[in-house]
Amino acid sequence: MSKSASRATGIVAIAALLFALPGLSVAATKSVAATKSATRSLVAAGSPAIRLVVKKEPAGVVSMQSLSAGSSAAGADYEVVTVPQEDADATAALLRQQDGVLAVERDLPTAVPQPLPSTPVDMSSMFYTRSASVAGIPNDTWYLQQHHWQARTDIYRGQSDFEAAYLRADKNHEVNIAVLDSGFTNHPELSWAGGYNFTSDGTAGTAYLDYDAQDCTSFHGQVVGSIIGAETNNAQSIAGMVDANLYAVRVLNCDGVGSLLEAATGVRYAAGDTTLGVPAIGVQIDVINLSLGASGSCPAYMQDAINFARSKGITVVVAAGNSAVDAGAFTPANCQGVITVGAVDRWGDQASFSNFGAAVDISLLGVNVVAPNPNGGDSYYAGTSFSTPIAAGMVAHLRQQQRTITPDQAESMLKASTTAFGITTAPMGAGITNGEKLQQLYEGTVIGRGSSLKHVLDADDRCDDALYLDHYQALFDVCSLYEVSVSELPLTAGKHYVLFAVPYGSELKATAGTAVGAGQDVRFIVPNIDSNLYQYGLQVCADDGSACERDTLVELDTSNLARPASCDADGGLASLSRSLAGLWQG
């Protein structure tokens, strides 16, 4: 039989299996075992297999997973079909014609961005190190060579001053970060909290710690994770950006190669999808790091996985790639709703290898990034793979302070907190995200945005306000009452909104002030405010002002704090009575 005749026979055989019934119910035509056997025979007789990822209508009856020889599912609305390479286009075309099929796309070969050589950290540069912690600054051996921690200067524009953010932040919430990669191992600087293996390399599920110096060429995921969460302030190696639980989601083999389908499945796993047929991750992930990519547009199965993660409040951070071309040609860098990260050097110049273009959102240090080497010692690394975990660490830093920050808020804040580049030859995003500016923006715009303290008689919407009537009926002096109005400040179960009075000249912190009022509603009343002696701030605490979520207080809008003239003028009681009558009447 000729090659073309054999190919035609193969397509007809697959079509017969797929389309025997209008509902595409393969199981109704042949047994699962028989169908798999027929598919394997076709693949064995032809060229290497191609996996087609089929998106179905929700709750559709399309059933093609029986054709897949051990493929992973990409979610409840997907099936995976394995076919010979030469039959892939024809089979995909036939599938697209069927009712209930929304999209048919190929699984794409995926890898860590083109690897760049690493170099050991030279002990002759020890003069850069700090031997003891100074005012909370980490004392890790190579801390001063972690340039993304150091302050930006006119010369070193690529330094992001994460130190300033680290020292100012109140780190109140435990964060969980998923690194989707390969080359994971436990190390004195970083132990993984859990994970899962979605590849066919090793024992599925349990073998997520895959790095073996004898058999593997890549410890890529270990380096990525260490930049985010290495043990800090232990007088060794480097400082991790956040104290976090890191999860090793293995979606590539130990040489850093795999498939985009496994990566999409890993995203869903990290986001808590329970339809994958594997044990659930069991925690709320805050950030997903994807320092990997494939050539091509963003397929529906990856975009849907990202959308699912975002619906769970998870920020997805992605490497732009190391091919020195437009990042729009690579996925998931070109997917919607991700933060795509390019690379600059210490001087703030575009790294020679970094991808660029409209798909890039921000850039961060990606040259001479120091991290532990699982084979011993510490090394410098280069690539957008290592810019990306710096961005992931910054997002996690925000979530440590307030877990309600959304993916859109995180992206907006990282973009709005940038400094200027040095030399660039192509678009590299909004700029180089700066840690100090990020922390300032967070403190000034996210926490308690719109919260206020004002006199009760200055409010405009008293008609339906039983709150004030209750106080009046209890014979309070209404002229001494003030309203706290809370916005954009989630209330933790069992806690209260607490108003603090802090003497002028002191930092606006709970530990510098005295609790003067508390409530569990977003509007509550406090008496006797003295704006001549005190500034006022708000925080979520126990009702007595202890056990606050953060020490730094929310600054309040006090533009309507002054007592109305009717409270102080002659005949004030008569004026006040008229005001109160207005309150009663609405």
Side-chain angles (χ1 to χ4, degrees), residues 367-402:
V367 179
N368 285 347
V369 181
V370 65
N373 186 321
N375 294 330
D378 301 271
S379 296
Y380 290 117
Y381 301 91
T384 58
S385 286
F386 312 114
S387 310
T388 304
I390 297 174
M394 288 182 171
V395 175
H397 170 80
L398 295 174
R399 295 272 292 190
Q400 270 192 325
Q401 298 173 82
Q402 187 166 319

PDB file of all heavy atoms in Angstrom, residues 367-402:
ATOM      1  N   VAL A 367      19.647  39.879  34.581  1.00  0.00           N
ATOM      2  CA  VAL A 367      21.062  39.630  34.311  1.00  0.00           C
ATOM      3  C   VAL A 367      21.794  39.597  35.649  1.00  0.00           C
ATOM      4  O   VAL A 367      21.592  40.469  36.493  1.00  0.00           O
ATOM      5  CB  VAL A 367      21.652  40.716  33.398  1.00  0.00           C
ATOM      6  CG1 VAL A 367      23.133  40.462  33.146  1.00  0.00           C
ATOM      7  CG2 VAL A 367      20.894  40.778  32.073  1.00  0.00           C
ATOM      8  N   ASN A 368      22.638  38.579  35.833  1.00  0.00           N
ATOM      9  CA  ASN A 368      23.371  38.421  37.098  1.00  0.00           C
ATOM     10  C   ASN A 368      22.424  38.386  38.297  1.00  0.00           C
ATOM     11  O   ASN A 368      22.615  39.097  39.293  1.00  0.00           O
ATOM     12  CB  ASN A 368      24.423  39.510  37.277  1.00  0.00           C
ATOM     13  CG  ASN A 368      25.643  39.278  36.402  1.00  0.00           C
ATOM     14  OD1 ASN A 368      25.825  38.198  35.827  1.00  0.00           O
ATOM     15  ND2 ASN A 368      26.489  40.290  36.292  1.00  0.00           N
ATOM     16  N   VAL A 369      21.399  37.547  38.186  1.00  0.00           N
ATOM     17  CA  VAL A 369      20.496  37.303  39.303  1.00  0.00           C
ATOM     18  C   VAL A 369      21.091  36.147  40.104  1.00  0.00           C
ATOM     19  O   VAL A 369      21.253  35.046  39.587  1.00  0.00           O
ATOM     20  CB  VAL A 369      19.080  36.944  38.809  1.00  0.00           C
ATOM     21  CG1 VAL A 369      18.150  36.723  39.995  1.00  0.00           C
ATOM     22  CG2 VAL A 369      18.541  38.032  37.890  1.00  0.00           C
ATOM     23  N   VAL A 370      21.420  36.384  41.353  1.00  0.00           N
ATOM     24  CA  VAL A 370      22.121  35.373  42.147  1.00  0.00           C
ATOM     25  C   VAL A 370      21.114  34.485  42.872  1.00  0.00           C
ATOM     26  O   VAL A 370      20.085  34.953  43.356  1.00  0.00           O
ATOM     27  CB  VAL A 370      23.108  36.030  43.138  1.00  0.00           C
ATOM     28  CG1 VAL A 370      22.383  36.869  44.180  1.00  0.00           C
ATOM     29  CG2 VAL A 370      23.971  34.987  43.822  1.00  0.00           C
ATOM     30  N   ALA A 371      21.400  33.176  42.903  1.00  0.00           N
ATOM     31  CA  ALA A 371      20.524  32.202  43.566  1.00  0.00           C
ATOM     32  C   ALA A 371      21.331  30.944  43.856  1.00  0.00           C
ATOM     33  O   ALA A 371      22.394  30.716  43.263  1.00  0.00           O
ATOM     34  CB  ALA A 371      19.313  31.877  42.684  1.00  0.00           C
ATOM     35  N   PRO A 372      20.845  30.090  44.759  1.00  0.00           N
ATOM     36  CA  PRO A 372      21.561  28.857  45.068  1.00  0.00           C
ATOM     37  C   PRO A 372      21.644  27.935  43.857  1.00  0.00           C
ATOM     38  O   PRO A 372      20.730  27.882  43.024  1.00  0.00           O
ATOM     39  CB  PRO A 372      20.719  28.216  46.178  1.00  0.00           C
ATOM     40  CG  PRO A 372      19.899  29.321  46.735  1.00  0.00           C
ATOM     41  CD  PRO A 372      19.653  30.259  45.600  1.00  0.00           C
ATOM     42  N   ASN A 373      22.750  27.211  43.777  1.00  0.00           N
ATOM     43  CA  ASN A 373      22.926  26.166  42.766  1.00  0.00           C
ATOM     44  C   ASN A 373      22.763  24.824  43.468  1.00  0.00           C
ATOM     45  O   ASN A 373      23.515  24.510  44.385  1.00  0.00           O
ATOM     46  CB  ASN A 373      24.319  26.287  42.153  1.00  0.00           C
ATOM     47  CG  ASN A 373      24.534  25.332  40.998  1.00  0.00           C
ATOM     48  OD1 ASN A 373      24.096  24.191  41.033  1.00  0.00           O
ATOM     49  ND2 ASN A 373      25.240  25.795  39.973  1.00  0.00           N
ATOM     50  N   PRO A 374      21.775  24.007  43.086  1.00  0.00           N
ATOM     51  CA  PRO A 374      21.559  22.730  43.770  1.00  0.00           C
ATOM     52  C   PRO A 374      22.770  21.800  43.742  1.00  0.00           C
ATOM     53  O   PRO A 374      22.858  20.883  44.563  1.00  0.00           O
ATOM     54  CB  PRO A 374      20.376  22.115  43.003  1.00  0.00           C
ATOM     55  CG  PRO A 374      19.647  23.283  42.457  1.00  0.00           C
ATOM     56  CD  PRO A 374      20.721  24.267  42.091  1.00  0.00           C
ATOM     57  N   ASN A 375      23.702  22.040  42.821  1.00  0.00           N
ATOM     58  CA  ASN A 375      24.917  21.224  42.779  1.00  0.00           C
ATOM     59  C   ASN A 375      25.984  21.728  43.740  1.00  0.00           C
ATOM     60  O   ASN A 375      27.054  21.125  43.850  1.00  0.00           O
ATOM     61  CB  ASN A 375      25.480  21.200  41.352  1.00  0.00           C
ATOM     62  CG  ASN A 375      24.550  20.494  40.402  1.00  0.00           C
ATOM     63  OD1 ASN A 375      23.811  19.591  40.798  1.00  0.00           O
ATOM     64  ND2 ASN A 375      24.553  20.910  39.149  1.00  0.00           N
ATOM     65  N   GLY A 376      25.693  22.832  44.426  1.00  0.00           N
ATOM     66  CA  GLY A 376      26.636  23.372  45.388  1.00  0.00           C
ATOM     67  C   GLY A 376      26.922  24.838  45.158  1.00  0.00           C
ATOM     68  O   GLY A 376      27.050  25.288  44.012  1.00  0.00           O
ATOM     69  N   GLY A 377      27.010  25.592  46.227  1.00  0.00           N
ATOM     70  CA  GLY A 377      27.326  27.006  46.127  1.00  0.00           C
ATOM     71  C   GLY A 377      26.184  27.832  45.579  1.00  0.00           C
ATOM     72  O   GLY A 377      25.020  27.443  45.636  1.00  0.00           O
ATOM     73  N   ASP A 378      26.517  28.980  45.036  1.00  0.00           N
ATOM     74  CA  ASP A 378      25.543  29.917  44.477  1.00  0.00           C
ATOM     75  C   ASP A 378      26.061  30.383  43.125  1.00  0.00           C
ATOM     76  O   ASP A 378      27.261  30.398  42.884  1.00  0.00           O
ATOM     77  CB  ASP A 378      25.353  31.113  45.405  1.00  0.00           C
ATOM     78  CG  ASP A 378      24.885  30.703  46.788  1.00  0.00           C
ATOM     79  OD1 ASP A 378      23.662  30.612  46.995  1.00  0.00           O
ATOM     80  OD2 ASP A 378      25.745  30.465  47.668  1.00  0.00           O
ATOM     81  N   SER A 379      25.134  30.763  42.258  1.00  0.00           N
ATOM     82  CA  SER A 379      25.522  31.157  40.902  1.00  0.00           C
ATOM     83  C   SER A 379      24.738  32.389  40.476  1.00  0.00           C
ATOM     84  O   SER A 379      23.695  32.721  41.051  1.00  0.00           O
ATOM     85  CB  SER A 379      25.261  30.018  39.911  1.00  0.00           C
ATOM     86  OG  SER A 379      26.065  28.894  40.187  1.00  0.00           O
ATOM     87  N   TYR A 380      25.268  33.049  39.437  1.00  0.00           N
ATOM     88  CA  TYR A 380      24.536  34.097  38.748  1.00  0.00           C
ATOM     89  C   TYR A 380      23.760  33.465  37.602  1.00  0.00           C
ATOM     90  O   TYR A 380      24.273  32.593  36.889  1.00  0.00           O
ATOM     91  CB  TYR A 380      25.488  35.146  38.171  1.00  0.00           C
ATOM     92  CG  TYR A 380      26.173  36.014  39.179  1.00  0.00           C
ATOM     93  CD1 TYR A 380      27.552  35.990  39.317  1.00  0.00           C
ATOM     94  CD2 TYR A 380      25.435  36.900  39.969  1.00  0.00           C
ATOM     95  CE1 TYR A 380      28.201  36.817  40.231  1.00  0.00           C
ATOM     96  CE2 TYR A 380      26.072  37.728  40.879  1.00  0.00           C
ATOM     97  CZ  TYR A 380      27.449  37.676  41.009  1.00  0.00           C
ATOM     98  OH  TYR A 380      28.073  38.493  41.912  1.00  0.00           O
ATOM     99  N   TYR A 381      22.531  33.937  37.394  1.00  0.00           N
ATOM    100  CA  TYR A 381      21.689  33.432  36.311  1.00  0.00           C
ATOM    101  C   TYR A 381      21.184  34.608  35.480  1.00  0.00           C
ATOM    102  O   TYR A 381      21.051  35.731  35.988  1.00  0.00           O
ATOM    103  CB  TYR A 381      20.505  32.634  36.873  1.00  0.00           C
ATOM    104  CG  TYR A 381      20.938  31.461  37.718  1.00  0.00           C
ATOM    105  CD1 TYR A 381      21.120  31.604  39.085  1.00  0.00           C
ATOM    106  CD2 TYR A 381      21.180  30.221  37.141  1.00  0.00           C
ATOM    107  CE1 TYR A 381      21.532  30.537  39.864  1.00  0.00           C
ATOM    108  CE2 TYR A 381      21.585  29.137  37.915  1.00  0.00           C
ATOM    109  CZ  TYR A 381      21.764  29.319  39.278  1.00  0.00           C
ATOM    110  OH  TYR A 381      22.177  28.245  40.033  1.00  0.00           O
ATOM    111  N   ALA A 382      20.890  34.328  34.217  1.00  0.00           N
ATOM    112  CA  ALA A 382      20.362  35.359  33.326  1.00  0.00           C
ATOM    113  C   ALA A 382      19.179  34.803  32.556  1.00  0.00           C
ATOM    114  O   ALA A 382      19.169  33.635  32.159  1.00  0.00           O
ATOM    115  CB  ALA A 382      21.449  35.838  32.360  1.00  0.00           C
ATOM    116  N   GLY A 383      18.182  35.638  32.335  1.00  0.00           N
ATOM    117  CA  GLY A 383      17.018  35.244  31.557  1.00  0.00           C
ATOM    118  C   GLY A 383      15.751  35.858  32.110  1.00  0.00           C
ATOM    119  O   GLY A 383      15.686  36.252  33.287  1.00  0.00           O
ATOM    120  N   THR A 384      14.742  35.955  31.263  1.00  0.00           N
ATOM    121  CA  THR A 384      13.442  36.424  31.743  1.00  0.00           C
ATOM    122  C   THR A 384      12.837  35.438  32.730  1.00  0.00           C
ATOM    123  O   THR A 384      11.953  35.812  33.512  1.00  0.00           O
ATOM    124  CB  THR A 384      12.471  36.662  30.574  1.00  0.00           C
ATOM    125  OG1 THR A 384      12.324  35.448  29.824  1.00  0.00           O
ATOM    126  CG2 THR A 384      12.970  37.762  29.656  1.00  0.00           C
ATOM    127  N   SER A 385      13.311  34.185  32.717  1.00  0.00           N
ATOM    128  CA  SER A 385      12.876  33.214  33.726  1.00  0.00           C
ATOM    129  C   SER A 385      13.118  33.715  35.125  1.00  0.00           C
ATOM    130  O   SER A 385      12.396  33.339  36.059  1.00  0.00           O
ATOM    131  CB  SER A 385      13.632  31.892  33.545  1.00  0.00           C
ATOM    132  OG  SER A 385      13.180  31.178  32.439  1.00  0.00           O
ATOM    133  N   PHE A 386      14.132  34.557  35.299  1.00  0.00           N
ATOM    134  CA  PHE A 386      14.531  34.988  36.630  1.00  0.00           C
ATOM    135  C   PHE A 386      14.098  36.425  36.922  1.00  0.00           C
ATOM    136  O   PHE A 386      14.149  36.867  38.073  1.00  0.00           O
ATOM    137  CB  PHE A 386      16.039  34.778  36.792  1.00  0.00           C
ATOM    138  CG  PHE A 386      16.447  33.400  36.336  1.00  0.00           C
ATOM    139  CD1 PHE A 386      17.269  33.225  35.224  1.00  0.00           C
ATOM    140  CD2 PHE A 386      15.924  32.284  36.955  1.00  0.00           C
ATOM    141  CE1 PHE A 386      17.598  31.959  34.775  1.00  0.00           C
ATOM    142  CE2 PHE A 386      16.243  31.003  36.511  1.00  0.00           C
ATOM    143  CZ  PHE A 386      17.087  30.840  35.418  1.00  0.00           C
ATOM    144  N   SER A 387      13.661  37.143  35.888  1.00  0.00           N
ATOM    145  CA  SER A 387      12.934  38.400  36.104  1.00  0.00           C
ATOM    146  C   SER A 387      11.533  38.102  36.629  1.00  0.00           C
ATOM    147  O   SER A 387      11.007  38.837  37.483  1.00  0.00           O
ATOM    148  CB  SER A 387      12.804  39.193  34.798  1.00  0.00           C
ATOM    149  OG  SER A 387      14.020  39.329  34.136  1.00  0.00           O
ATOM    150  N   THR A 388      10.947  37.041  36.113  1.00  0.00           N
ATOM    151  CA  THR A 388       9.557  36.714  36.423  1.00  0.00           C
ATOM    152  C   THR A 388       9.336  36.430  37.901  1.00  0.00           C
ATOM    153  O   THR A 388       8.377  36.951  38.490  1.00  0.00           O
ATOM    154  CB  THR A 388       9.105  35.531  35.549  1.00  0.00           C
ATOM    155  OG1 THR A 388       9.317  35.881  34.179  1.00  0.00           O
ATOM    156  CG2 THR A 388       7.647  35.197  35.765  1.00  0.00           C
ATOM    157  N   PRO A 389      10.168  35.620  38.573  1.00  0.00           N
ATOM    158  CA  PRO A 389       9.928  35.410  40.000  1.00  0.00           C
ATOM    159  C   PRO A 389      10.120  36.665  40.844  1.00  0.00           C
ATOM    160  O   PRO A 389       9.568  36.756  41.947  1.00  0.00           O
ATOM    161  CB  PRO A 389      10.943  34.319  40.378  1.00  0.00           C
ATOM    162  CG  PRO A 389      11.969  34.340  39.303  1.00  0.00           C
ATOM    163  CD  PRO A 389      11.244  34.745  38.070  1.00  0.00           C
ATOM    164  N   ILE A 390      10.883  37.643  40.359  1.00  0.00           N
ATOM    165  CA  ILE A 390      10.962  38.913  41.088  1.00  0.00           C
ATOM    166  C   ILE A 390       9.600  39.598  41.054  1.00  0.00           C
ATOM    167  O   ILE A 390       9.120  40.119  42.073  1.00  0.00           O
ATOM    168  CB  ILE A 390      12.064  39.817  40.502  1.00  0.00           C
ATOM    169  CG1 ILE A 390      13.437  39.154  40.672  1.00  0.00           C
ATOM    170  CG2 ILE A 390      12.048  41.191  41.173  1.00  0.00           C
ATOM    171  CD1 ILE A 390      14.577  39.907  39.999  1.00  0.00           C
ATOM    172  N   ALA A 391       8.949  39.584  39.887  1.00  0.00           N
ATOM    173  CA  ALA A 391       7.587  40.141  39.795  1.00  0.00           C
ATOM    174  C   ALA A 391       6.618  39.338  40.650  1.00  0.00           C
ATOM    175  O   ALA A 391       5.769  39.904  41.347  1.00  0.00           O
ATOM    176  CB  ALA A 391       7.136  40.165  38.338  1.00  0.00           C
ATOM    177  N   ALA A 392       6.723  38.005  40.607  1.00  0.00           N
ATOM    178  CA  ALA A 392       5.851  37.160  41.426  1.00  0.00           C
ATOM    179  C   ALA A 392       6.059  37.456  42.905  1.00  0.00           C
ATOM    180  O   ALA A 392       5.099  37.500  43.693  1.00  0.00           O
ATOM    181  CB  ALA A 392       6.123  35.688  41.129  1.00  0.00           C
ATOM    182  N   GLY A 393       7.316  37.679  43.294  1.00  0.00           N
ATOM    183  CA  GLY A 393       7.597  38.025  44.679  1.00  0.00           C
ATOM    184  C   GLY A 393       6.979  39.345  45.082  1.00  0.00           C
ATOM    185  O   GLY A 393       6.497  39.509  46.213  1.00  0.00           O
ATOM    186  N   MET A 394       6.955  40.311  44.164  1.00  0.00           N
ATOM    187  CA  MET A 394       6.340  41.604  44.465  1.00  0.00           C
ATOM    188  C   MET A 394       4.829  41.459  44.644  1.00  0.00           C
ATOM    189  O   MET A 394       4.239  42.077  45.545  1.00  0.00           O
ATOM    190  CB  MET A 394       6.655  42.605  43.365  1.00  0.00           C
ATOM    191  CG  MET A 394       8.102  43.081  43.376  1.00  0.00           C
ATOM    192  SD  MET A 394       8.419  44.311  42.080  1.00  0.00           S
ATOM    193  CE  MET A 394      10.080  44.868  42.530  1.00  0.00           C
ATOM    194  N   VAL A 395       4.199  40.656  43.809  1.00  0.00           N
ATOM    195  CA  VAL A 395       2.758  40.426  43.970  1.00  0.00           C
ATOM    196  C   VAL A 395       2.495  39.729  45.302  1.00  0.00           C
ATOM    197  O   VAL A 395       1.575  40.097  46.049  1.00  0.00           O
ATOM    198  CB  VAL A 395       2.201  39.597  42.802  1.00  0.00           C
ATOM    199  CG1 VAL A 395       0.731  39.268  43.038  1.00  0.00           C
ATOM    200  CG2 VAL A 395       2.364  40.342  41.479  1.00  0.00           C
ATOM    201  N   ALA A 396       3.295  38.715  45.617  1.00  0.00           N
ATOM    202  CA  ALA A 396       3.125  38.012  46.887  1.00  0.00           C
ATOM    203  C   ALA A 396       3.348  38.948  48.071  1.00  0.00           C
ATOM    204  O   ALA A 396       2.680  38.830  49.106  1.00  0.00           O
ATOM    205  CB  ALA A 396       4.090  36.830  46.953  1.00  0.00           C
ATOM    206  N   HIS A 397       4.272  39.880  47.927  1.00  0.00           N
ATOM    207  CA  HIS A 397       4.517  40.889  48.964  1.00  0.00           C
ATOM    208  C   HIS A 397       3.244  41.699  49.232  1.00  0.00           C
ATOM    209  O   HIS A 397       2.907  41.981  50.396  1.00  0.00           O
ATOM    210  CB  HIS A 397       5.657  41.800  48.500  1.00  0.00           C
ATOM    211  CG  HIS A 397       5.870  43.011  49.335  1.00  0.00           C
ATOM    212  ND1 HIS A 397       6.551  42.987  50.530  1.00  0.00           N
ATOM    213  CD2 HIS A 397       5.476  44.305  49.159  1.00  0.00           C
ATOM    214  CE1 HIS A 397       6.584  44.206  51.045  1.00  0.00           C
ATOM    215  NE2 HIS A 397       5.937  45.021  50.229  1.00  0.00           N
ATOM    216  N   LEU A 398       2.515  42.061  48.186  1.00  0.00           N
ATOM    217  CA  LEU A 398       1.252  42.770  48.361  1.00  0.00           C
ATOM    218  C   LEU A 398       0.218  41.890  49.047  1.00  0.00           C
ATOM    219  O   LEU A 398      -0.491  42.327  49.960  1.00  0.00           O
ATOM    220  CB  LEU A 398       0.720  43.243  47.008  1.00  0.00           C
ATOM    221  CG  LEU A 398       1.547  44.292  46.268  1.00  0.00           C
ATOM    222  CD1 LEU A 398       0.963  44.531  44.882  1.00  0.00           C
ATOM    223  CD2 LEU A 398       1.628  45.596  47.056  1.00  0.00           C
ATOM    224  N   ARG A 399       0.142  40.642  48.617  1.00  0.00           N
ATOM    225  CA  ARG A 399      -0.856  39.726  49.171  1.00  0.00           C
ATOM    226  C   ARG A 399      -0.534  39.358  50.624  1.00  0.00           C
ATOM    227  O   ARG A 399      -1.450  39.012  51.386  1.00  0.00           O
ATOM    228  CB  ARG A 399      -0.936  38.472  48.310  1.00  0.00           C
ATOM    229  CG  ARG A 399      -1.439  38.707  46.900  1.00  0.00           C
ATOM    230  CD  ARG A 399      -2.932  38.628  46.783  1.00  0.00           C
ATOM    231  NE  ARG A 399      -3.439  37.293  47.007  1.00  0.00           N
ATOM    232  CZ  ARG A 399      -4.706  36.934  46.773  1.00  0.00           C
ATOM    233  NH1 ARG A 399      -5.568  37.816  46.294  1.00  0.00           N
ATOM    234  NH2 ARG A 399      -5.121  35.712  47.009  1.00  0.00           N
ATOM    235  N   GLN A 400       0.729  39.424  51.017  1.00  0.00           N
ATOM    236  CA  GLN A 400       1.066  39.220  52.425  1.00  0.00           C
ATOM    237  C   GLN A 400       0.417  40.281  53.299  1.00  0.00           C
ATOM    238  O   GLN A 400       0.111  40.031  54.462  1.00  0.00           O
ATOM    239  CB  GLN A 400       2.581  39.292  52.622  1.00  0.00           C
ATOM    240  CG  GLN A 400       3.311  37.977  52.486  1.00  0.00           C
ATOM    241  CD  GLN A 400       4.742  38.094  52.970  1.00  0.00           C
ATOM    242  OE1 GLN A 400       5.389  39.121  52.805  1.00  0.00           O
ATOM    243  NE2 GLN A 400       5.251  37.035  53.550  1.00  0.00           N
ATOM    244  N   GLN A 401       0.217  41.443  52.728  1.00  0.00           N
ATOM    245  CA  GLN A 401      -0.353  42.547  53.493  1.00  0.00           C
ATOM    246  C   GLN A 401      -1.870  42.577  53.388  1.00  0.00           C
ATOM    247  O   GLN A 401      -2.551  42.927  54.361  1.00  0.00           O
ATOM    248  CB  GLN A 401       0.238  43.862  52.991  1.00  0.00           C
ATOM    249  CG  GLN A 401       1.751  43.934  53.185  1.00  0.00           C
ATOM    250  CD  GLN A 401       2.328  45.157  52.527  1.00  0.00           C
ATOM    251  OE1 GLN A 401       2.292  46.260  53.082  1.00  0.00           O
ATOM    252  NE2 GLN A 401       2.870  44.991  51.332  1.00  0.00           N
ATOM    253  N   GLN A 402      -2.396  42.234  52.223  1.00  0.00           N
ATOM    254  CA  GLN A 402      -3.846  42.242  52.033  1.00  0.00           C
ATOM    255  C   GLN A 402      -4.217  41.213  50.977  1.00  0.00           C
ATOM    256  O   GLN A 402      -3.966  41.417  49.782  1.00  0.00           O
ATOM    257  CB  GLN A 402      -4.338  43.635  51.622  1.00  0.00           C
ATOM    258  CG  GLN A 402      -5.850  43.733  51.576  1.00  0.00           C
ATOM    259  CD  GLN A 402      -6.326  45.171  51.510  1.00  0.00           C
ATOM    260  OE1 GLN A 402      -5.793  46.046  52.180  1.00  0.00           O
ATOM    261  NE2 GLN A 402      -7.331  45.426  50.716  1.00  0.00           N
TER     262      GLN A 402
END
